[in-house]
Amino acid sequence: MSTLIEQPVEARLVAAAPRMQSIPATLHYDRRDPFAVRMTFPAPATLEGVEVCWTFARELLRAGLEGFEGHGDVRVRPYGYDRTVVEFHAPEGTAVVHIHSADVRRFLQRTAELVPTGLEHLQMDLDHDLAELMRDA
Protein backbone atom coordinates (compact mmCIF):
# COMPACT_ATOMS: atom_id res chain seq x y z
CA MET A 1 0.00 0.00 0.00
CA SER A 2 1.28 3.47 -0.89
CA THR A 3 2.40 5.76 1.89
CA LEU A 4 2.17 8.97 -0.14
CA ILE A 5 -0.65 10.93 -1.77
CA GLU A 6 0.02 13.75 -4.22
CA GLN A 7 -2.80 15.69 -5.81
CA PRO A 8 -2.33 18.57 -8.24
CA VAL A 9 -4.71 21.48 -7.68
CA GLU A 10 -5.34 24.76 -9.43
CA ALA A 11 -4.76 27.64 -7.07
CA ARG A 12 -5.86 31.16 -7.88
CA LEU A 13 -3.51 33.78 -6.53
CA VAL A 14 -5.39 36.76 -5.09
CA ALA A 15 -3.55 39.94 -6.00
CA ALA A 16 -4.28 43.62 -6.40
CA ALA A 17 -5.11 43.06 -10.06
CA PRO A 18 -8.80 42.47 -10.84
CA ARG A 19 -8.22 39.03 -12.38
CA MET A 20 -6.80 36.27 -10.21
CA GLN A 21 -3.89 34.43 -11.74
CA SER A 22 -4.03 30.61 -11.84
CA ILE A 23 -0.96 28.86 -10.54
CA PRO A 24 -0.26 25.15 -10.24
CA ALA A 25 0.14 23.66 -6.79
CA THR A 26 0.30 20.18 -5.33
CA LEU A 27 -1.15 18.89 -2.08
CA HIS A 28 0.93 16.14 -0.45
CA TYR A 29 0.24 13.69 2.35
CA ASP A 30 2.65 11.10 3.70
CA ARG A 31 1.45 8.59 6.29
CA ARG A 32 4.94 8.67 7.83
CA ASP A 33 4.04 12.23 8.96
CA PRO A 34 0.35 11.55 9.60
CA PHE A 35 -0.70 14.87 11.16
CA ALA A 36 0.70 17.05 8.36
CA VAL A 37 -0.07 18.02 4.80
CA ARG A 38 2.15 19.97 2.46
CA MET A 39 1.27 22.38 -0.32
CA THR A 40 3.98 22.92 -2.90
CA PHE A 41 4.22 25.68 -5.50
CA PRO A 42 6.67 25.14 -8.38
CA ALA A 43 9.51 27.58 -9.02
CA PRO A 44 7.86 29.41 -11.97
CA ALA A 45 4.85 30.23 -9.77
CA THR A 46 6.86 31.93 -7.01
CA LEU A 47 8.39 35.38 -6.72
CA GLU A 48 11.73 33.90 -5.68
CA GLY A 49 11.90 31.52 -8.65
CA VAL A 50 12.38 28.49 -6.38
CA GLU A 51 9.95 25.79 -5.31
CA VAL A 52 8.09 26.76 -2.15
CA CYS A 53 6.59 24.18 0.20
CA TRP A 54 4.36 24.93 3.19
CA THR A 55 3.66 22.28 5.82
CA PHE A 56 0.65 22.53 8.10
CA ALA A 57 -1.83 20.38 10.00
CA ARG A 58 -4.22 18.16 8.09
CA GLU A 59 -6.85 19.11 10.69
CA LEU A 60 -6.35 22.81 9.87
CA LEU A 61 -7.19 22.13 6.23
CA ARG A 62 -10.23 20.03 7.18
CA ALA A 63 -11.59 22.53 9.69
CA GLY A 64 -10.95 25.43 7.30
CA LEU A 65 -13.54 23.99 4.92
CA GLU A 66 -16.22 24.86 7.49
CA GLY A 67 -14.98 28.08 9.10
CA PHE A 68 -12.01 30.38 9.72
CA GLU A 69 -9.10 28.39 11.16
CA GLY A 70 -5.51 29.22 12.00
CA HIS A 71 -3.68 31.84 13.97
CA GLY A 72 -0.16 31.42 12.69
CA ASP A 73 1.60 31.27 9.35
CA VAL A 74 -1.19 29.34 7.61
CA ARG A 75 -4.87 30.24 7.81
CA VAL A 76 -7.76 28.54 6.03
CA ARG A 77 -11.38 29.54 5.52
CA PRO A 78 -14.30 28.87 3.19
CA TYR A 79 -15.10 31.39 0.48
CA GLY A 80 -18.60 30.91 -0.82
CA TYR A 81 -19.82 27.41 -1.57
CA ASP A 82 -17.11 26.17 -3.89
CA ARG A 83 -13.83 27.75 -2.83
CA THR A 84 -11.43 27.52 0.06
CA VAL A 85 -9.00 30.32 0.87
CA VAL A 86 -5.53 29.49 2.14
CA GLU A 87 -3.39 32.34 3.44
CA PHE A 88 0.37 31.91 3.80
CA HIS A 89 2.01 34.50 6.08
CA ALA A 90 5.78 35.03 5.94
CA PRO A 91 8.09 37.90 6.88
CA GLU A 92 8.29 38.80 3.17
CA GLY A 93 4.51 39.16 2.90
CA THR A 94 1.27 37.26 2.60
CA ALA A 95 0.10 35.07 -0.26
CA VAL A 96 -3.60 34.31 -0.54
CA VAL A 97 -4.82 31.52 -2.81
CA HIS A 98 -8.26 30.15 -3.64
CA ILE A 99 -8.67 26.43 -4.25
CA HIS A 100 -11.77 24.54 -5.34
CA SER A 101 -13.28 23.10 -2.17
CA ALA A 102 -14.16 19.90 -4.04
CA ASP A 103 -10.45 19.33 -4.69
CA VAL A 104 -9.66 19.85 -1.01
CA ARG A 105 -12.44 17.47 0.05
CA ARG A 106 -11.27 14.83 -2.44
CA PHE A 107 -7.70 15.16 -1.16
CA LEU A 108 -8.79 14.89 2.48
CA GLN A 109 -10.94 11.85 1.67
CA ARG A 110 -7.93 10.16 0.10
CA THR A 111 -5.80 10.94 3.16
CA ALA A 112 -8.52 9.57 5.46
CA GLU A 113 -8.58 6.33 3.47
CA LEU A 114 -4.83 6.04 3.99
CA VAL A 115 -4.86 7.15 7.65
CA PRO A 116 -8.28 7.62 9.27
CA THR A 117 -8.76 10.87 11.16
CA GLY A 118 -8.19 10.28 14.85
CA LEU A 119 -5.89 7.31 14.25
CA GLU A 120 -2.81 9.24 13.16
CA HIS A 121 -0.95 8.29 16.35
CA LEU A 122 -0.99 4.64 15.26
CA GLN A 123 1.32 5.55 12.36
CA MET A 124 3.94 7.00 14.67
CA ASP A 125 7.06 4.99 15.44
CA LEU A 126 8.19 6.85 18.54
CA ASP A 127 11.01 4.40 19.29
CA HIS A 128 12.46 4.93 15.82
CA ASP A 129 12.01 8.71 16.00
CA LEU A 130 13.69 8.87 19.41
CA ALA A 131 16.57 6.72 18.16
CA GLU A 132 17.00 9.10 15.20
CA LEU A 133 17.09 12.10 17.54
CA MET A 134 19.63 10.43 19.80
CA ARG A 135 21.78 9.45 16.82
CA ASP A 136 22.01 13.09 15.76
CA ALA A 137 22.77 14.32 19.29
Side-chain angles (χ1 to χ4, degrees):
M1 176 182 234
S2 175
T3 65
L4 181 67
I5 294 171
E6 293 185 337
Q7 179 176 314
V9 294
E10 178 183 294
R12 290 197 147 316
L13 180 63
V14 178
R19 180 167 140 33
M20 293 187 290
Q21 174 185 358
S22 289
I23 56 175
T26 304
L27 289 168
H28 307 265
Y29 182 77
D30 188 334
R31 72 195 254 173
R32 293 172 296 183
D33 190 4
F35 292 100
V37 296
R38 291 182 296 125
M39 189 167 189
T40 304
F41 299 92
T46 69
L47 294 175
E48 299 84 10
V50 296
E51 181 178 272
V52 173
C53 182
W54 287 82
T55 302
F56 50 98
R58 174 170 72 160
E59 176 59 22
L60 174 68
L61 188 59
R62 189 205 59 74
L65 286 169
E66 306 303 322
F68 187 94
E69 292 293 328
H71 301 284
D73 295 342
V74 180
R75 300 170 191 174
V76 184
R77 70 179 184 277
Y79 184 79
Y81 173 73
D82 65 342
R83 284 189 260 170
T84 299
V85 175
V86 184
E87 297 178 12
F88 301 99
H89 296 262
E92 301 81 20
T94 300
V96 180
V97 297
H98 289 193
I99 307 168
H100 290 287
S101 297
D103 291 341
V104 175
R105 284 186 184 93
R106 185 170 38 260
F107 173 73
L108 290 171
Q109 177 60 39
R110 293 176 66 204
T111 70
E113 290 169 2
L114 189 60
V115 177
T117 303
L119 299 179
E120 294 91 349
H121 65 283
L122 298 177
Q123 300 299 313
M124 305 297 289
D125 185 352
L126 296 179
D127 290 335
H128 175 265
D129 294 344
L130 183 59
E132 286 294 310
L133 284 172
M134 297 303 287
R135 183 181 58 86
D136 294 337

